[in-house]
Amino acid sequence: MDKDKFTLMLQELSPKPRKVLKLLLEGKTDDEIAEGISASPATVRKHIQNLCDRFDIRSEIAGLKLNRREELIVLVGQYKPELVSDRFRAIIPAPVFPATTNNTLNQPLQDWGNAPDPAVLFDREDNQDTLKEWILQDHCRIIALLGMGGIGKTSLSVKLAKQIENEFEFVIWRSLRNAPPLFKLLTDWINFLSRGQKNCSSMDILDRISLLIEYLQKSRCLLILDNFHTILTPGDFAGHYKKDYKDYGQLLNRLGKESHQSCLLLTSRETPREIPVLQAETLAVRTLELQGSQKVAREILKDKKLSGEAEWEKLINVYRCNPLALKIVSKTIHELFDNDVAKFLDQSLTYVLRDIRVLIEDQVYRLSELGKTILYWLAIQQKPATLEQLQESLCASRSRLPSDLIGALESLKERSLIETHKENSTSHFTLQPVVMEYIRDEIIKQVSEEIYEASQQSNETEKILDKLNLLRSHELKKSQEDLREGKLISLFSFIKGRLYTYENLRNQHTIIDNLNQLQSNLESKSKIEVGYAVENLKNLLEELKNDEA
């Protein structure tokens, strides 16, 4: 529906429906509207239903149920924003520009949405130059800017777009952090690109994509989608969509394959599954994986005025040059360690601060069970492992296929949770130090919780087995290397220390008695049933008895 048709239909409304619409746009409830027109709430609901029918507001699109009232308010907000209460501003699409606008190529129409102010961007010139070349010279249709959380993808996307904005007639920056359905995003884009002259509320998804491509063909547009990984499903292999967001894959496919003069730049912690296929088919689709930079890292520490420069290299290596992680840890060093990096490192080389933990938790949460198992295994081993070693340990029971393992490793690499390096021409897999420390903390916490809960099961073996998961599935090593001191420490010593924090296990003899009882209950079961549980309990008992000696 265009603006002229909407205006005519609005003018033709009879007095009572017009008043109902006015009160609805003011944010009144059904009861308040009923009082205003001296009718029942049921009559009000009927009037609103008739208004939605009159303005051709659909109840669903592509199987997705729509809030017809909200869609009606959005429609009025597009053409008559002055009629809509401020309380509805959040659902009204981008600002509308009249068709008579004087904007030209030298004055691009821009909608930055909730884009953050570009932070100081340390030494990303090489990345910026590459992206500029791909967009302005090679005319790429889709570029995926990839990397783990905190690496600087969002800042780079904003900074880049600001630098090249005058090369485009339209620039639109949107975040998918709140996971908007595609039909709403397309409505927003089309409204902006048509300067408010095109309403697509009655069109299905495919027609909306087709209309969007028409605008991208007619005008040179730069579209930025930040946080694309938000609409990708956790727990699956990387790049798969959540249930109601698969149509975003259709959008990528068509934007990548069909000819147009515009560019979609997306940022993501994972590669959407369509991108590698499109890359194989056309040079117009490319990816750039953002890596940490030693120079950037040193500039951050210098900017934060940290001392102990001789230790900077060690700190930078631990956090793998991640800008956000280094900014977070710099704040702690400033507030608690007098700006001295060496003092901080004396406490813990890989201390996992709360805000950094959130970054890692988000990545780990999105993994499949096999992906988590690989992380735990690598953290327990504390040294790089080959593919053959991983297959031998994790596929021995034949409950997992080698192809599953390879897929899980690819997913972990996509999510920047494992690193690979070559030794004698053979690839070895390992964890970043801070990820290693985080997973080790999780192992200690989970194993301690399992032991405590199992000890409360009154010698009921089946219930005990149900509580012991990680303790059964992983062989915990007797000792691990302390990354700070370079010496061997016992993983069980950390578990022992945590067990003392439980109310019923604060006495060493009580802990030993409970562990002996658990071991006794499990020894009657087969190796298949108990896994590594008995062996792990024996090693933990040995650690406790060493304290008695």
Side-chain angles (χ1 to χ4, degrees):
M1 181 183 300
D2 59 27
K3 187 173 183 178
D4 292 338
K5 183 177 179 181
F6 169 82
T7 303
L8 178 62
M9 293 177 69
L10 189 63
Q11 292 171 348
E12 291 176 347
L13 287 177
S14 56
K16 187 157 288 189
R18 182 188 295 272
K19 189 168 185 180
V20 170
L21 180 60
K22 177 178 180 295
L23 294 172
L24 176 66
L25 296 173
E26 290 175 357
K28 304 296 185 184
T29 65
D30 286 1
D31 288 341
E32 290 171 332
I33 297 173
E35 185 178 345
I37 65 172
S38 301
S40 68
T43 301
V44 170
R45 288 191 287 273
K46 184 64 177 175
H47 275 302
I48 294 174
Q49 181 180 335
N50 290 338
L51 284 166
C52 290
D53 291 339
R54 179 179 181 82
F55 286 99
D56 198 24
I57 304 297
R58 299 175 64 175
S59 60
E60 67 174 54
I61 293 179
L64 291 173
K65 297 291 184 182
L66 301 181
N67 184 328
R68 297 185 81 200
R69 290 187 184 212
E70 183 178 302
E71 293 295 317
L72 176 62
I73 294 168
V74 169
L75 177 62
V76 177
Q78 288 177 0
Y79 298 130
K80 293 286 185 180
E82 67 276 9
L83 300 179
V84 181
S85 167
D86 286 343
R87 65 179 293 183
F88 297 120
R89 293 302 179 192
I91 65 171
I92 304 301
V96 175
F97 293 85
T100 56
T101 181
N102 293 323
N103 286 28
T104 66
L105 273 173
N106 294 323
Q107 296 173 305
L109 297 180
Q110 300 170 4
D111 182 358
W112 293 96
N114 56 351
D117 291 332
V120 175
L121 199 63
F122 298 102
D123 191 42
R124 287 291 187 188
E125 285 84 2
D126 289 347
N127 298 130
Q128 288 174 262
D129 290 345
T130 297
L131 291 170
K132 281 184 195 176
E133 180 180 335
W134 288 358
I135 294 172
L136 301 180
Q137 298 179 28
D138 299 344
H139 299 284
C140 287
R141 297 192 281 263
I142 298 178
I143 296 173
L145 184 57
L146 307 171
M148 74 179 303
I151 203 69
K153 303 180 296 298
T154 298
S155 295
L156 179 56
S157 73
V158 177
K159 190 83 169 181
L160 172 72
K162 292 285 187 183
Q163 286 187 348
I164 63 176
E165 61 188 7
N166 289 326
E167 302 292 333
F168 296 89
E169 297 171 70
F170 297 90
V171 178
I172 308 177
W173 193 99
R174 288 289 179 267
S175 172
L176 297 186
R177 184 178 298 279
N178 295 322
L182 181 59
F183 72 85
K184 282 198 171 184
L185 180 70
L186 292 173
T187 299
D188 177 21
W189 279 354
I190 290 168
N191 175 62
F192 187 81
L193 296 175
S194 69
R195 296 178 169 87
Q197 299 304 301
K198 186 67 178 179
N199 182 276
C200 60
S201 60
S202 62
M203 301 172 67
D204 64 22
I205 289 291
L206 294 180
D207 288 339
R208 292 186 194 206
I209 295 174
S210 296
L211 181 58
L212 172 68
I213 291 175
E214 287 182 26
Y215 286 114
L216 301 185
Q217 291 169 339
K218 292 176 184 176
S219 303
R220 183 94 162 109
C221 310
L222 177 61
L223 308 176
I224 302 101
L225 281 181
D226 192 40
N227 291 308
F228 198 90
H229 57 271
T230 307
I231 61 171
L232 302 178
T233 183
D236 204 341
F237 291 130
H240 291 244
Y241 294 92
K242 293 179 179 177
K243 180 181 177 183
D244 295 328
Y245 295 88
K246 293 181 180 179
D247 44 14
Y248 273 88
Q250 293 179 306
L251 174 68
L252 294 186
N253 265 322
R254 293 192 60 185
L255 290 182
K257 291 178 179 179
E258 298 185 29
S259 178
H260 57 82
Q261 59 172 323
S262 301
C263 179
L264 169 65
L265 173 65
L266 64 89
T267 74
S268 182
R269 297 180 187 180
E270 304 171 20
T271 308
R273 59 189 304 185
E274 292 78 17
I275 296 298
V277 177
L278 289 168
Q279 277 187 283
E281 295 177 354
T282 174
L283 292 175
V285 176
R286 298 180 189 176
T287 61
L288 178 63
E289 185 168 357
L290 211 55
Q291 302 286 353
S293 161
Q294 284 276 343
K295 186 176 179 181
V296 170
R298 295 189 70 85
E299 286 179 351
I300 289 172
L301 300 186
K302 183 178 179 181
D303 182 66
K304 299 298 181 181
K305 298 180 172 58
L306 299 187
S307 60
E309 190 169 348
E311 301 292 333
W312 283 11
E313 196 70 25
K314 193 180 292 184
L315 185 71
I316 288 168
N317 183 57
V318 165
Y319 294 99
R320 291 300 191 264
C321 306
N322 185 297
L324 180 58
L326 287 169
K327 289 174 185 177
I328 291 170
V329 79
S330 294
K331 184 172 182 289
T332 298
I333 294 171
H334 169 71
E335 293 175 349
L336 301 181
F337 297 94
D338 304 318
N339 284 333
D340 193 332
V341 172
K343 285 184 180 179
F344 172 77
L345 293 178
D346 283 342
Q347 296 298 313
S348 174
L349 180 68
T350 56
Y351 185 65
V352 186
L353 300 172
R354 181 188 61 191
D355 293 334
I356 297 175
R357 180 176 292 275
V358 170
L359 283 176
I360 302 172
E361 279 177 350
D362 182 66
Q363 297 284 76
V364 174
Y365 164 73
R366 304 178 66 82
L367 295 177
S368 64
E369 285 306 312
L370 178 54
K372 292 175 184 176
T373 297
I374 294 170
L375 288 190
Y376 280 34
W377 191 87
L378 288 172
I380 290 168
Q381 297 304 310
Q382 282 275 344
K383 60 183 180 181
T386 65
L387 177 60
E388 290 73 18
Q389 289 170 328
L390 283 164
Q391 288 176 331
E392 181 180 349
S393 296
L394 301 179
C395 299
S397 67
R398 299 192 179 182
S399 60
R400 301 186 183 103
L401 297 174
S403 57
D404 295 334
L405 181 64
I406 292 171
L409 287 170
E410 289 176 342
S411 184
L412 288 168
K413 191 75 169 65
E414 287 277 351
R415 289 166 167 143
S416 304
L417 286 170
I418 62 171
E419 299 178 337
T420 59
H421 66 271
K422 295 279 189 181
E423 288 184 19
N424 300 322
S425 302
T426 301
S427 293
H428 286 68
F429 303 91
T430 190
L431 305 180
Q432 296 182 13
V434 72
V435 176
M436 183 90 75
E437 186 83 355
Y438 168 82
I439 297 296
R440 189 175 72 172
D441 288 349
E442 289 299 299
I443 291 170
I444 294 164
K445 181 168 62 177
Q446 186 175 334
V447 167
S448 303
E449 185 70 22
E450 287 179 8
I451 291 173
Y452 171 73
E453 291 187 359
S455 69
Q456 307 303 305
Q457 300 308 311
S458 303
N459 298 328
E460 297 183 46
T461 306
E462 295 305 323
K463 289 184 178 180
I464 290 173
L465 284 171
D466 286 341
K467 297 298 182 182
L468 302 180
N469 296 307
L470 191 58
L471 203 68
R472 287 195 290 154
S473 62
H474 289 74
E475 180 183 12
L476 306 180
K477 297 179 70 175
K478 290 185 180 180
S479 60
Q480 292 189 309
E481 184 179 358
D482 185 323
L483 297 177
R484 180 173 40 139
E485 302 291 342
K487 64 183 180 182
L488 294 180
I489 56 174
S490 171
L491 182 61
F492 292 104
S493 68
F494 291 108
I495 298 170
K496 173 193 66 180
R498 190 172 182 89
L499 287 175
Y500 283 127
T501 66
Y502 291 97
E503 187 69 32
N504 299 334
L505 298 175
R506 289 186 175 174
N507 180 281
Q508 182 175 7
H509 294 294
T510 303
I511 295 176
I512 291 174
D513 289 344
N514 276 277
L515 294 179
N516 278 324
Q517 188 60 57
L518 287 176
Q519 184 179 332
S520 176
N521 286 324
L522 296 178
E523 283 178 341
S524 62
K525 293 291 183 178
S526 68
K527 176 68 175 176
I528 293 177
E529 291 176 288
V530 301
Y532 295 107
V534 172
E535 183 178 345
N536 287 329
L537 289 171
K538 284 181 179 178
N539 288 329
L540 182 53
L541 279 165
E542 184 179 321
E543 179 73 28
L544 284 157
K545 289 171 182 176
N546 286 338
D547 286 350
E548 291 184 319

